[in-house]
Amino acid sequence: LEEGKIAIMADDGRLVKMEVDYSNTVDKILPECQEMARNGRIKEALETLLGMEKQTRLAVDAVSTGRVMKAIVQLCFDAEEWNMLSEHIVLLTKRRSQLKTAVATMVEECCKFVNQTPDLETKLKLIDTLRTVSEGKIYVEVPRARLTMELAKIKESQGDITDAANILQELQVETFGSMQKDEKVQFILEQMRMCLAKRDYIRTQIISKKISTKFFLNETDLVQELKLKYYRLMIELCQHDRDYLATCQHYRAIFETPRVQEDEAMWKDTLKNVVLYVLLAPFDHEQSDLMHRVYEEKKLQQLPVYKEVLECFKRQELLDWSGFQSRFGPALREGVSDGPATAVFQAGSELGEQQWEDFRKRVIEHNIRVIAKYYTRISMSRLSQLLALSVDESEEYLSQLVTKKTIFARIDRPAGIVSFRQLKDPNEVLNEWSSNLTSLMGLVSKTTHLINKEEMVHTLAK
């Protein structure tokens, strides 16, 4: 490029260079037009500025064009000519070879007017105009996203949750290169919240995957606030799906947040939820590992009731549900003097009653696993007696655990016998016997060698 000439991107994508610098001319004309507008000659002032805008645009003076366009919309705003403002916004953006920088400057200036409109109807019209002129333009994607968020909030305040969620879902903010990462996360969290509000759980799950949890490793106040909001939304989603293990992991992530650690009431409530949801999760290797890690948490010492409940499930002993319920039920459901209960088993609520019933099932499943560990064969009548259930209920719970491959069992229904011994394949039995025999012969050989060695030592000593 020649010296003193700046390359500018036009609206049609061409790279053009500034021909003439109109800065001094604009400096002179702007005050004159502002004075005309104050004297009631706004149309004359706008005509003068539109002529100036054409000159600066054709000369590719982006800075001056932006200043003129800002002045045009500012005059309309000061005169409270809202229809005229919308008309000039559309007019300026549709002009041939309009400069991207100038359009971006004008749109950003107009965004400041949105919250200063006299009524809701005018506000909605201005937002609609700005969203229309900025549609499909990457260089104004961030202002358009903010306007869309404002529109969604208005729809939500009017009670139209579905429309608000649909408007917000139009934004694919994860692809916006000019938007800060924390602002992207805020937009995505709002999308999740709106989807949950209209009970679109599948879309919420899809949107949640757009946020990487590595973002929350930063411990700034804003990031911690976003982290807590994200995990609370995920907990709401998982509670709907009754995914107790994931709910426990989300509460654990909240518990490890520095802001939560500083608030005793908050971390105690969160840790209680961690304990209860890990026990509500169906048994598998991941659940067992997480339960033992939660048990090792030092702060659990300050919650003796919850630590004791965990110990009951860690021990390989049968739990009597009626005794367990009378001992821990009041503390878990209603709270005690030194600590309130959580909402997990809240009496009277549909979710609380459902989760309390699931907790009873986990106690029964724990008892069946304990019986499977200590018995190879047991009668159905004895099994139902140990479980404090009817024979049919015992068979149902046992069948569920077998189906999930939690335990191995075979039921001889005519004889009423349950066998927990897993029959081995003949080849397996033969291989195991061969391995054991080889190990035994090795020990015999080694023992013989040591005896001979001792005898030789004693012979030489004589």
Side-chain angles (χ1 to χ4, degrees):
L1 292 177
E2 297 175 25
E3 188 177 353
K5 295 185 178 181
I6 304 171
I8 303 294
M9 185 73 75
D11 195 38
D12 57 5
R14 294 180 297 109
L15 192 65
V16 291
K17 61 183 179 180
M18 187 170 71
E19 298 294 340
V20 183
D21 186 354
Y22 278 98
S23 300
N24 295 331
T25 310
V26 171
D27 288 339
K28 181 181 177 182
I29 286 180
L30 287 184
E32 294 175 359
C33 292
Q34 288 166 357
E35 185 62 32
M36 279 191 278
R38 279 193 291 269
N39 295 330
R41 297 154 54 198
I42 186 168
K43 289 186 178 179
E44 188 180 337
L46 289 174
E47 286 175 7
T48 304
L49 287 173
L50 286 171
M52 190 71 239
E53 183 273 336
K54 181 178 180 180
Q55 291 181 45
T56 57
R57 171 167 45 85
L58 295 177
V60 201
D61 185 353
V63 176
S64 297
T65 306
R67 289 177 63 197
V68 173
M69 291 169 71
K70 276 179 67 174
I72 291 170
V73 295
Q74 186 67 49
L75 289 182
C76 295
F77 171 72
D78 292 339
E80 296 187 357
E81 294 285 350
W82 300 104
N83 289 330
M84 191 182 291
L85 173 61
S86 296
E87 289 169 9
H88 279 81
I89 290 170
V90 175
L91 173 68
L92 291 169
T93 52
K94 286 188 174 180
R95 287 199 157 187
R96 184 173 62 86
S97 301
Q98 188 57 276
L99 305 174
K100 290 184 177 181
T101 312
V103 173
T105 304
M106 182 194 68
V107 170
E108 287 174 5
E109 184 67 20
C110 291
C111 288
K112 298 175 185 176
F113 304 153
V114 170
N115 291 321
Q116 301 179 52
T117 49
D119 52 54
L120 183 59
E121 184 181 352
T122 307
K123 186 175 185 178
L124 288 172
K125 185 177 180 181
L126 181 57
I127 289 174
D128 184 58
T129 302
L130 290 170
R131 289 182 74 237
T132 301
V133 300
S134 59
E135 187 175 4
K137 296 180 173 65
I138 295 176
Y139 51 92
V140 284
E141 62 187 3
V142 175
R144 187 174 193 277
R146 291 169 184 159
L147 289 167
T148 304
M149 174 72 82
E150 187 70 28
L151 181 59
K153 287 180 178 177
I154 292 171
K155 292 290 184 184
E156 185 184 15
S157 66
Q158 294 174 341
D160 193 350
I161 300 294
T162 303
D163 203 14
N166 292 338
I167 289 169
L168 208 54
Q169 282 166 28
E170 294 174 8
L171 297 175
Q172 304 296 326
V173 291
E174 66 275 8
T175 64
F176 291 4
S178 54
M179 185 180 281
Q180 295 294 324
K181 197 164 187 179
D182 53 355
E183 192 174 1
K184 287 183 184 180
V185 172
Q186 287 176 327
F187 271 92
I188 294 171
L189 289 177
E190 275 300 300
Q191 290 176 337
M192 288 175 63
R193 187 180 67 81
M194 290 286 191
C195 287
L196 282 173
K198 74 167 190 174
R199 302 184 183 280
D200 189 349
Y201 298 103
I202 295 174
R203 191 178 293 276
T204 306
Q205 183 70 43
I206 294 168
I207 294 172
S208 69
K209 296 183 185 299
K210 295 178 181 179
I211 298 178
S212 171
T213 52
K214 291 180 181 178
F215 169 76
F216 301 124
L217 296 176
N218 190 335
E219 294 185 355
T220 62
D221 288 342
L222 177 59
V223 172
Q224 286 188 61
E225 185 180 338
L226 294 174
K227 177 181 179 181
L228 294 177
K229 186 175 181 181
Y230 169 77
Y231 281 112
R232 282 167 185 153
L233 291 171
M234 291 303 296
I235 286 167
E236 187 179 343
L237 174 64
C238 291
Q239 283 179 336
H240 172 265
D241 297 335
R242 297 176 71 180
D243 188 348
Y244 297 131
L245 188 62
T247 305
C248 171
Q249 291 167 338
H250 296 325
Y251 269 116
R252 202 153 177 259
I254 291 175
F255 175 74
E256 291 169 355
T257 306
R259 179 184 291 185
V260 174
Q261 291 288 327
E262 292 166 5
D263 187 331
E264 184 177 354
M266 195 180 289
W267 72 250
K268 278 187 175 181
D269 182 70
T270 306
L271 188 55
K272 288 176 184 177
N273 280 284
V274 170
V275 171
L276 296 181
Y277 277 109
V278 76
L279 295 178
L280 275 169
F283 177 84
D284 57 21
H285 293 301
E286 188 178 3
Q287 186 269 351
S288 178
D289 176 65
L290 184 57
M291 183 176 70
H292 283 80
R293 280 187 282 140
V294 170
Y295 183 77
E296 297 300 322
E297 173 58 49
K298 292 180 181 178
K299 289 191 174 182
L300 196 60
Q301 300 286 349
Q302 298 181 42
L303 302 172
V305 173
Y306 290 83
K307 186 178 178 69
E308 195 173 350
V309 171
L310 260 181
E311 285 175 348
C312 290
F313 280 84
K314 278 182 84 255
R315 291 195 296 263
Q316 296 297 312
E317 297 176 5
L318 293 176
L319 297 175
D320 175 30
W321 172 246
S322 58
F324 185 90
Q325 189 176 14
S326 60
R327 183 179 176 188
F328 296 110
L332 298 181
R333 305 197 74 182
E334 300 164 11
V336 290
S337 57
D338 60 340
T342 64
V344 179
F345 300 135
Q346 186 176 1
S349 72
E350 184 181 350
L351 182 64
E353 295 295 343
Q354 184 185 67
Q355 292 183 158
W356 185 249
E357 179 60 27
D358 286 342
F359 191 56
R360 173 177 169 271
K361 291 177 182 177
R362 299 297 169 259
V363 171
I364 295 170
E365 290 170 0
H366 167 82
N367 288 341
I368 293 174
R369 291 197 308 274
V370 171
I371 292 169
K373 182 175 181 180
Y374 290 112
Y375 283 82
T376 54
R377 294 173 77 247
I378 187 172
S379 66
M380 283 299 300
S381 58
R382 177 60 176 157
L383 178 65
S384 60
Q385 182 185 354
L386 291 173
L387 295 177
L389 299 171
S390 67
V391 173
D392 290 341
E393 286 179 316
S394 301
E395 185 177 328
E396 182 184 350
Y397 282 110
L398 181 63
S399 301
Q400 287 175 2
L401 290 183
V402 172
T403 304
K404 294 175 185 175
K405 299 189 184 301
T406 305
I407 61 170
F408 176 87
R410 289 289 181 267
I411 303 174
D412 184 347
R413 299 188 80 179
I417 299 293
V418 180
S419 174
F420 295 108
R421 181 184 295 170
Q422 189 167 357
L423 296 175
K424 295 181 180 178
D425 184 82
N427 290 329
E428 257 185 74
V429 175
L430 190 60
N431 289 337
E432 187 179 348
W433 177 81
S434 176
S435 175
N436 291 339
L437 192 60
T438 303
S439 177
L440 176 64
M441 296 307 295
L443 288 172
V444 170
S445 177
K446 186 175 181 180
T447 306
T448 305
H449 173 73
L450 290 173
I451 291 171
N452 289 334
K453 180 181 176 182
E454 288 294 323
E455 287 179 348
M456 290 173 66
V457 169
H458 284 290
T459 302
L460 289 172
K462 291 179 182 179

